[in-house]
Amino acid sequence: MSAATLTPAAPGLAPLTADDVRIGPRATLRHIGALTRRNLMRIKADPESMLDALLVPIIFTLLFVYVFGGALFPTRQEYIQYMIPGLLGTTGLNLAMAVGTGLNSDFQTGVMDRFRTLPIGRSAVLVSKIAAEMLRALVSFTILIGFAMILGLEIKAGFLHLFAAVGLSLMFGMSIIWISMLLGMSLRSVQAVQGVSMMVIMPLQFGSSIFAPTGTMPGWLQTFTNYNPLSALADACRSLINGGALTHSVLIVLIWSVGVTAVTAPLAVARFRKRT
């Protein structure tokens, strides 16, 4: 079949050509751009889907600063300097794990059936979801940092280091998205994806150094927190924002991010190909 007789492309995608049929790098990039735009247009059409990105950082900040801050540190100002950098990591984690529910819903509602009829790179569908989610995360990080600065957060190491902390959090969140998408394609329902995601998120969040120093924890829990990548991410962001040694914690986060992506990205793409 010639390119001219192929099914027309979906709205937002360029007309199909012979190059598209072969799904070369240029065509794949074009499809990623079009599908990313589609994902962002869905957010525009449903603004309520941004509530978690907009409100969760504010709610977490208020709850932990004013409920636990005075009990864990001598002053709330000290707790803000300690806890807010760690929240960069947990905010990215929460947003990343939500991608799986959206992907599962796309399969349930037949959206993926439409993609199945189009000669587009299967990885383009997944990568476009990551790109859209990274933009949502940037909005969430901006709100978190801006609100924390209103409460008194000081960027002691300078804004270049702050941008580095945001970039490191985005990189780690991107690796977690692959896990979330793999869950979304492996489990049968949205409720199952949400339940398993919570089982992953809760131990990682609260079994880490994000909200409290690990020195007062029992020995077995300290062992867990020492190997918890969120502890390394929190420590790295803390050092970048407040100043301090960076090498070890940043290296650990980079290793975790690259390792998780290297393992789960091929599995997610393979699972997507199998389902479509």
Side-chain angles (χ1 to χ4, degrees):
M1 180 181 293
S2 67
T5 60
L6 289 170
T7 303
L13 291 174
L16 300 177
T17 66
D19 288 337
D20 292 320
V21 176
R22 291 194 293 269
I23 314 178
R26 183 177 300 177
T28 299
L29 288 175
R30 186 164 64 250
H31 295 156
I32 290 172
L35 291 172
T36 299
R37 181 176 179 273
R38 167 190 173 271
N39 292 330
L40 295 176
M41 292 298 290
R42 289 181 65 183
I43 294 175
K44 182 180 179 180
D46 181 21
E48 292 179 357
S49 64
M50 280 293 293
L51 286 178
D52 58 340
L54 298 175
L55 297 182
V56 169
I58 295 175
I59 293 172
F60 264 59
T61 300
L62 289 174
L63 283 177
F64 281 93
V65 168
Y66 290 103
V67 174
F68 300 108
L72 295 174
F73 278 75
T75 66
R76 287 191 174 88
Q77 176 62 38
E78 292 181 55
Y79 189 62
I80 288 173
Q81 294 296 140
Y82 178 89
M83 188 266 296
I84 294 300
L87 272 188
L88 287 174
T90 194
T91 299
L93 176 66
N94 286 322
L95 294 176
M97 292 304 290
V99 176
T101 59
L103 186 60
N104 185 279
S105 178
D106 284 345
F107 277 103
Q108 301 293 339
T109 56
V111 173
M112 293 304 171
D113 292 334
R114 187 178 186 185
F115 289 146
R116 186 184 303 162
T117 65
L118 300 173
I120 60 176
R122 295 298 180 256
S123 60
V125 178
L126 303 183
V127 173
S128 66
K129 285 188 171 294
I130 293 178
E133 195 60 32
M134 290 298 97
L135 292 175
R136 281 208 332 137
L138 279 174
V139 172
S140 191
F141 289 159
T142 301
I143 292 173
L144 170 63
I145 294 168
F147 186 68
M149 291 179 69
I150 293 174
L151 295 182
L153 176 70
E154 298 178 16
I155 312 300
K156 297 181 179 180
F159 282 91
L160 287 179
H161 285 78
L162 172 63
F163 297 150
V166 170
L168 195 65
S169 299
L170 284 174
M171 183 178 181
F172 181 76
M174 190 183 303
S175 69
I176 300 300
I177 289 177
W178 288 109
I179 298 177
S180 179
M181 291 193 295
L182 187 58
L183 289 175
M185 292 182 288
S186 301
L187 300 175
R188 293 185 179 182
S189 66
V190 171
Q191 291 79 7
V193 177
Q194 290 173 336
V196 174
S197 297
M198 289 301 297
M199 291 173 61
V200 174
I201 288 174
M202 295 298 285
L204 287 176
Q205 281 185 337
F206 294 101
S208 71
S209 63
I210 292 176
F211 301 111
T214 61
T216 59
M217 298 179 184
W220 61 268
L221 186 54
Q222 288 190 37
T223 301
F224 177 79
T225 60
N226 289 337
Y227 291 97
N228 185 344
L230 276 184
S231 291
L233 180 57
D235 294 340
C237 291
R238 217 168 273 134
S239 296
L240 284 166
I241 292 175
N242 297 329
L246 299 173
T247 306
H248 177 72
S249 55
V250 171
L251 181 62
I252 293 298
V253 175
L254 292 176
I255 291 174
W256 269 101
S257 300
V258 173
V260 169
T261 301
V263 172
T264 56
L267 292 175
V269 173
R271 182 65 180 173
F272 186 78
R273 290 178 182 276
K274 183 178 179 179
R275 290 202 59 174
T276 57

